[in-house]
Amino acid sequence: MKYLSLLAAFLVVQCIPQSLSAQVDSVRVDSVQADITEAISDSLYLNIVIPETDTVTYSYSRYRVAANTNPAANAFINGRPVKVYKTGAFIDMIEHRTDTTEIEFRVELNGEELTKIMYLVRPEAPEPIDTKGNVISDRMMKPSSELWLLTGETLDVQFLGTPGKEVVFNIDYFKDDIPMKEVPEEIAGIEGLYKGSYTVKPGDKVRDKHITFKMKKGLFGYEKKKSEYTVSFNGFPRVAEVLDENAYLNIGMGTDRLGGARYGLLEPGVKLNITGRKADNYRVHLSKSLSAWIPVRFVELKSEYASPSKSLTGNIRVSGRDKSDMITLTLSEKLPYITYQELDPNVIIVDVFGATSNTNWKIKHRSSQGIRNVTWNQIEDDRFRLEIELNHSQNWGYTVGYGWGSQLNVEVKRPPVVTNFNSPLDGRTISVDAGHGGDNRGSLGAAGNLEKDVTLQLSYLVKELLEERGAKVVLPRTDDSYVYMSERKEITLEEDADLLVSIHTNSIGYGSDPLDIRGTGSFYKHIAFKPLAAIMYDKMMELGFKDYGLTGSFNFSLNAPIEFPNVLVETAFISNPEEEILLTDPDFQQKIAEQIVKGLEEFYLQHGYLETVSDMPEK
């Protein structure tokens, strides 16, 4: 980061009040000043941002490159002139269609020239297997993990070996000589890939048996190889108990950079009915029509003779507290549950699995001011549903968990009271999260700016504006250190914040053109918190950003809590050189912070509890 980009960064630090900038990092100001002095004294410089090392292994056909120089310089990438932005940033897309692609960065100014060459290389292909004779290779072998299967499910096996052979497999001590077929090379893309399968039948009982692959050699002999992993059929369900407070249920076995789709958290002590295993995940039987998956590390299997976990439901009590309402359901076991919401009407839904209704009445106390009605229904075998209709337009957060014994409690927060129409944030507590930090630097701009720095700067600007309006502000991250997502949530809960805003800058992958993708976006997971995300999105759009979209069901860690409304604001794309300029400009940062605060004011006015007009101060 040099020259004007460094000067902009320095000004951003200086725009934070002195008491706050010291918290950001007092050393940082001196460091930036030194870099600016160095940059100004150097008439020409060249900083490569992407790629980050001299040689990068990369398998795709297009690659994004970025660098920065003196803004007055001319820049060339592989001999082609490219635009130099006022930050000194310049970018391009490189075609990578050979085993090694050279990337030459060159800058010129006043007869001086600097050049740097980097390389993209394709990953080395795996060494070919020597398939002479009779070879059964470990490569591409299945099963590739431990498997527990039920009646009707299919065991798929395969291996890579000598092509053109007669091959079978055994399920050891259960069934022998099940045929396998070689997949045609034009389909498999490789010779010698053999596949076979077996569908589990109702009477099959297999436990922890290996697969033995057999390749015919000579008249009577076989080349044999045993699988590393075992298979088991039927003999379920097994009961498991949740041990880890961070345990969660996955909807399926899919995954992505956010971890895959989840139903939600489970607390220690919850009993699960296990009906299968794939890799390091147990399959959980929730109801006749619904299963889920839980990582093996979160649970402990009970005795094989433990009875399946189930319970009759007792009666329901609805009562009120100072700032919340409590719905209590009596059970005899801690059973798994999932919860979700609806907006119109404003309803919280809790499905309890393994539960059968024996609920004959409910008691609703007058103190339960925030609850309009509670209903229940047995929607299928072993699936009991609670529907909690709220008395207000916005869900301000709730918790579901087991209290005394196996008593299931749903505690629902009431809306905060807005006592001053002209200052709706007065007296409120708001958590403002600066994305990333420390070694987790986040996205990277072509001028060398880091997401973690920009988000921290923005969070302090938002903090200052909120405090001017009478709010108490919680900053889960206060300096250039990394704070775990679970800690950020706990800090927000411990400080009893009404809601959380997580501030980020966006970026594209290495294979996309940074000039093509720009704009602002807002993200939420739970439909109950869509109104907050929609307001924030509208406020960011008012700054003139391109429409990148309002994204729901987003599996980001700080969108997952149900205890408080939350939103992830992807302010703009730092990977886009023009938006990087805006994100690092002190005046524009102030505008972003102002829009976030305006959005919070609008949200409280729309969804907080407003005292009567007679109680409001005159304008």
Side-chain angles (χ1 to χ4, degrees):
M1 189 188 300
K2 299 276 186 175
Y3 203 47
L4 291 183
S5 61
L6 285 169
L7 183 59
F10 174 70
L11 291 173
V12 169
V13 174
Q14 293 300 303
C15 79
I16 301 174
Q18 189 61 41
S19 60
L20 299 181
S21 63
Q23 299 174 55
V24 176
D25 192 349
S26 60
V27 177
R28 183 177 170 204
V29 176
D30 295 335
S31 174
V32 171
Q33 285 175 323
D35 286 342
I36 291 171
T37 302
E38 179 188 351
I40 293 174
S41 65
D42 293 338
S43 60
L44 184 64
Y45 62 88
L46 174 59
N47 293 328
I48 310 301
V49 177
I50 301 173
E52 297 181 58
T53 58
D54 288 346
T55 302
V56 173
T57 301
Y58 188 74
S59 57
Y60 300 101
S61 61
R62 281 163 49 92
Y63 186 77
R64 170 171 64 106
V65 298
N68 57 79
T69 186
N70 189 311
N74 294 317
F76 305 84
I77 297 179
N78 285 351
R80 185 172 60 250
V82 292
K83 179 178 179 179
V84 179
Y85 292 84
K86 68 179 183 179
T87 56
F90 59 97
I91 60 175
D92 202 1
M93 295 298 296
I94 298 297
E95 295 293 325
H96 178 45
R97 300 190 183 277
T98 59
D99 289 342
T100 301
T101 298
E102 183 178 282
I103 310 171
E104 182 193 68
F105 296 87
R106 180 165 57 89
V107 292
E108 300 175 349
L109 180 65
N110 299 327
E112 186 180 0
E113 179 180 296
L114 293 174
T115 301
K116 177 70 174 176
I117 295 178
M118 320 286 273
Y119 297 93
L120 297 180
V121 297
R122 290 196 177 278
E124 291 184 7
E127 293 185 9
I129 300 171
D130 183 2
T131 57
K132 294 178 182 178
N134 294 273
V135 175
I136 300 175
S137 168
D138 291 329
R139 190 178 297 175
M140 300 178 68
M141 184 176 284
K142 291 183 179 180
S144 56
S145 67
E146 189 173 349
L147 293 177
W148 296 0
L149 302 176
L150 289 175
T151 295
E153 294 187 298
T154 298
L155 168 67
D156 292 312
V157 302
Q158 71 175 38
F159 70 86
L160 193 63
T162 304
K165 296 293 182 175
E166 183 180 335
V167 173
V168 296
F169 73 95
N170 295 350
I171 303 171
D172 290 355
Y173 306 103
F174 172 68
K175 188 171 283 294
D176 294 339
D177 298 337
I178 305 169
M180 298 181 70
K181 292 184 178 181
E182 185 177 359
V183 181
E185 183 181 0
E186 59 269 23
I187 297 175
I190 192 171
E191 281 189 306
L193 180 63
Y194 295 90
K195 291 191 174 187
S197 65
Y198 177 79
T199 300
V200 181
K201 298 177 175 56
D204 291 347
K205 297 289 184 180
V206 171
R207 178 164 179 177
D208 299 333
K209 300 304 181 187
H210 290 273
I211 304 299
T212 298
F213 298 100
K214 300 166 60 179
M215 179 179 286
K216 189 78 176 288
K217 63 178 182 179
L219 291 177
F220 304 105
Y222 284 95
E223 181 70 28
K224 297 181 181 180
K225 190 155 192 174
K226 198 177 292 288
S227 66
E228 177 182 355
Y229 298 98
T230 61
V231 298
S232 299
F233 302 157
N234 294 322
F236 305 106
R238 294 281 300 276
V239 175
E241 182 175 338
V242 176
L243 300 179
D244 195 301
E245 62 182 10
N246 296 312
Y248 51 80
L249 283 178
N250 285 317
I251 295 175
M253 293 287 287
T255 188
D256 57 22
R257 66 185 181 89
L258 295 176
R262 297 174 183 172
Y263 282 122
L265 297 175
L266 291 175
E267 62 189 274
V270 169
K271 303 288 181 59
L272 304 173
N273 295 320
I274 305 299
T275 61
R277 176 172 178 167
K278 291 184 180 179
D280 291 326
N281 291 273
Y282 287 131
R283 180 174 53 205
V284 179
H285 172 85
L286 294 176
S287 69
K288 185 177 180 180
S289 64
L290 192 64
S291 294
W293 296 86
I294 189 167
V296 169
R297 68 182 185 275
F298 288 150
V299 300
E300 178 183 64
L301 284 178
K302 295 300 183 183
S303 163
E304 293 184 46
Y305 307 103
S307 299
S309 188
K310 57 186 177 180
S311 173
L312 294 175
T313 65
N315 299 314
I316 296 170
R317 182 179 296 271
V318 186
S319 58
R321 299 183 175 185
D322 184 29
K323 296 180 180 180
S324 63
D325 298 287
M326 181 73 80
I327 299 91
T328 300
L329 172 68
T330 301
L331 298 167
S332 60
E333 289 272 13
K334 291 184 178 180
L335 300 176
Y337 54 81
I338 59 175
T339 179
Y340 52 98
Q341 315 89 32
E342 294 179 356
L343 286 182
D344 189 16
N346 188 12
V347 172
I348 294 170
I349 296 171
V350 181
D351 284 350
V352 186
F353 297 96
T356 301
S357 179
N358 193 38
T359 301
N360 294 309
W361 69 81
K362 69 178 178 187
I363 300 172
K364 187 175 186 298
H365 295 269
R366 295 180 67 183
S367 59
S368 59
Q369 302 171 10
I371 305 301
R372 177 167 296 166
N373 194 21
V374 176
T375 58
W376 64 93
N377 191 19
Q378 191 76 42
I379 62 171
E380 62 175 323
D381 290 349
D382 293 337
R383 187 175 188 174
F384 178 86
R385 173 169 292 175
L386 272 177
E387 295 194 21
I388 304 163
E389 186 176 358
L390 308 186
N391 243 339
H392 35 270
S393 64
Q394 174 62 48
N395 182 331
W396 281 86
Y398 64 106
T399 60
V400 183
Y402 287 98
W404 179 83
S406 50
Q407 180 175 282
L408 185 65
N409 297 321
V410 184
E411 185 172 6
V412 184
K413 291 167 60 177
R414 296 193 194 119
V417 177
V418 176
T419 58
N420 185 342
F421 184 84
N422 296 316
S423 186
L425 302 179
D426 188 23
R428 306 316 325 158
T429 300
I430 297 169
S431 183
V432 181
D433 173 64
H436 305 279
D439 292 338
N440 185 338
R441 66 188 189 182
S443 53
L444 181 63
N449 295 292
L450 302 178
E451 178 179 9
K452 67 172 185 175
D453 296 330
V454 174
T455 60
L456 188 61
Q457 294 156 11
L458 287 170
S459 71
Y460 272 107
L461 293 174
V462 172
K463 179 179 188 292
E464 182 182 9
L465 292 172
L466 288 173
E467 288 177 340
E468 288 176 358
R469 288 157 175 77
K472 175 186 174 182
V473 179
V474 178
L475 293 182
R477 179 166 81 90
T478 60
D479 55 24
D480 185 20
S481 59
Y482 183 71
V483 182
Y484 288 102
M485 294 294 110
S486 57
E487 293 180 82
R488 300 180 196 224
K489 174 185 173 181
E490 288 306 313
I491 291 169
T492 301
L493 288 172
E494 288 171 3
E495 295 295 333
D496 196 25
D498 293 337
L499 53 80
L500 176 141
V501 178
S502 188
I503 301 173
H504 287 252
T505 68
N506 217 334
S507 180
I508 58 171
Y510 290 117
S512 301
D513 190 337
L515 292 179
D516 290 342
I517 302 177
R518 63 174 67 199
T520 191
S522 189
F523 297 75
Y524 65 94
K525 178 177 175 67
H526 306 293
I527 192 67
F529 305 145
K530 180 182 177 181
L532 174 60
I535 288 174
M536 285 299 171
Y537 183 52
D538 289 343
K539 294 304 174 188
M540 289 295 104
M541 287 292 293
E542 289 173 4
L543 291 170
F545 287 123
K546 185 178 178 181
D547 176 4
Y548 189 68
L550 177 63
T551 303
S553 300
F554 194 64
N555 203 31
F556 173 58
S557 296
L558 289 182
N559 285 141
I562 59 173
E563 293 89 344
F564 44 80
N566 53 75
V567 58
L568 167 64
V569 180
E570 290 281 10
T571 49
F573 277 82
I574 200 171
S575 55
N576 179 284
E578 294 176 343
E579 293 195 343
E580 181 185 19
I581 293 171
L582 296 176
L583 288 168
T584 55
D585 176 75
D587 292 335
F588 202 85
Q589 283 190 336
Q590 187 69 27
K591 291 179 181 178
I592 291 174
E594 289 171 356
Q595 290 301 102
I596 290 174
V597 172
K598 287 179 182 178
L600 291 172
E601 288 178 323
E602 183 175 322
F603 183 71
Y604 275 92
L605 285 174
Q606 286 187 14
H607 299 293
Y609 177 77
L610 301 180
E611 292 188 340
T612 61
V613 175
S614 61
D615 294 331
M616 293 293 178
E618 295 183 2
K619 291 186 178 180

